[in-house]
């Protein structure tokens, strides 16, 4: 289980007796890196040092974008969940071997997004999960959750995350029309 996760059932979803329901802390922050793949926001969670930032960097190298490296601001709107960076964290990522980096310097302004619709949560774990992948609820919005064994190679993790993002986009094609605002091109109407 990742930091910040506790048990809560989703309304309308049957539970098996062996599986505990899942709940997130009521606060709008969770310890996660928020990335955007083809417009679909994914939260990468896991214990400190689990490789969230390294995985995000690898996704940036493949042309995807970073919203925030740690503690995204999450909020529901019209039955959907959105995430954005907090003031002062725009385009920044902390890498163990490089320190604090501005992704726009390395990958250009499109590598940093201000806000994105969140479709799923990928939990980086040491061992294969005992419970299967399941949906969870955050701010009253159901999200898909996928467990990833962090002992795999980075290339394999990137492939799994990209494949999963494609699947989520196929399930919810309107996700690509969600609020996506590059951090360098905010307009006066952005909040």
């Amino acid at each position: 289980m990742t930091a910040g996760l506790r048990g809560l059932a989703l309304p309308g979803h049957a539970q098996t007796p062996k599986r505990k329901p899942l709940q997130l802390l009521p606060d709008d922050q969770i310890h996660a890196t928020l990335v955007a793949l083809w417009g679909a926001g994914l939260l990468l969670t896991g214990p400190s040092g689990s490789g969230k930032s390294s995985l995000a960097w690898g996704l940036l190298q493949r042309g995807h974008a970073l919203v925030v490296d740690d503690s995204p601001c999450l909020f529901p709107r019209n039955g959907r969940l959105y995430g954005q960076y907090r003031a002062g964290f725009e385009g920044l990522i902390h890498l163990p071997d490089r320190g604090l980096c501005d992704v726009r310097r390395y990958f250009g302004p499109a590598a940093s997004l201000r806000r994105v619709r969140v479709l799923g949560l990928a939990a980086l774990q040491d061992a294969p999960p005992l419970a299967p992948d399941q949906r969870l609820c955050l701010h009253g919005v159901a999200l898909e959750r996928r467990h990833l064994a962090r002992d795999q190679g980075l290339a394999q993790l990137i492939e799994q995350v990209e494949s999963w993002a494609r699947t989520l986009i196929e399930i919810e094609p309107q996700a690509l029309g969600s609020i996506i605002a590059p951090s360098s091109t905010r307009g006066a109407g952005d909040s």
Side-chain angles (χ1 to χ4, degrees):
M1 224 17 119
T2 61
L5 300 180
R6 294 186 279 193
L8 164 83
L10 286 174
H13 291 275
Q15 292 180 322
T16 60
K18 295 180 183 178
R19 186 184 308 170
K20 288 186 178 181
L22 185 67
Q23 170 185 1
L24 294 174
L25 291 173
D27 189 20
D28 67 342
Q29 288 188 36
I30 62 171
H31 186 66
T33 297
L34 178 56
V35 294
L37 290 80
W38 305 292
L42 296 179
L43 291 162
L44 307 176
T45 65
S48 183
S50 62
K52 298 179 296 292
S53 297
S54 296
L55 177 54
W57 189 262
L59 291 166
L60 284 160
Q61 290 175 324
R62 299 275 293 245
H64 303 295
L66 174 75
V67 179
V68 66
D69 184 38
D70 194 24
S71 299
C73 177
L74 302 172
F75 57 95
R77 183 175 289 158
N78 299 322
R80 296 176 176 173
L81 185 68
Y82 294 89
Q84 67 184 39
Y85 61 76
R86 295 183 180 277
F89 292 92
E90 178 181 352
L92 299 178
I93 189 169
H94 185 268
L95 298 170
D97 58 340
R98 295 182 189 199
L100 196 60
C101 299
D102 187 331
V103 300
R104 296 163 299 183
R105 181 175 163 233
Y106 291 90
F107 304 104
S112 176
L113 295 181
R114 178 171 188 250
R115 183 183 312 137
V116 70
R117 180 174 172 205
V118 179
L119 294 183
L121 182 147
L124 294 167
Q125 300 177 322
D126 286 328
L130 297 176
D133 296 335
Q134 60 188 27
R135 298 184 91 190
L136 58 92
C137 188
L138 182 57
H139 291 286
V141 179
L143 296 177
E144 297 296 324
R145 181 180 67 172
R146 174 77 40 104
H147 296 280
L148 301 173
R150 70 182 194 140
D151 60 352
Q152 304 175 73
L154 183 59
Q156 188 174 358
L157 284 171
I158 290 168
E159 290 293 329
Q160 287 179 357
V161 170
E162 285 183 330
S163 174
W164 185 44
R166 282 186 205 102
T167 301
L168 290 173
I169 291 167
E170 288 172 10
I171 293 170
E172 299 226 16
Q174 67 272 28
L176 291 176
S178 65
I179 299 173
I180 302 171
S183 60
S184 62
T185 60
R186 280 191 306 246
D190 288 340
S191 56

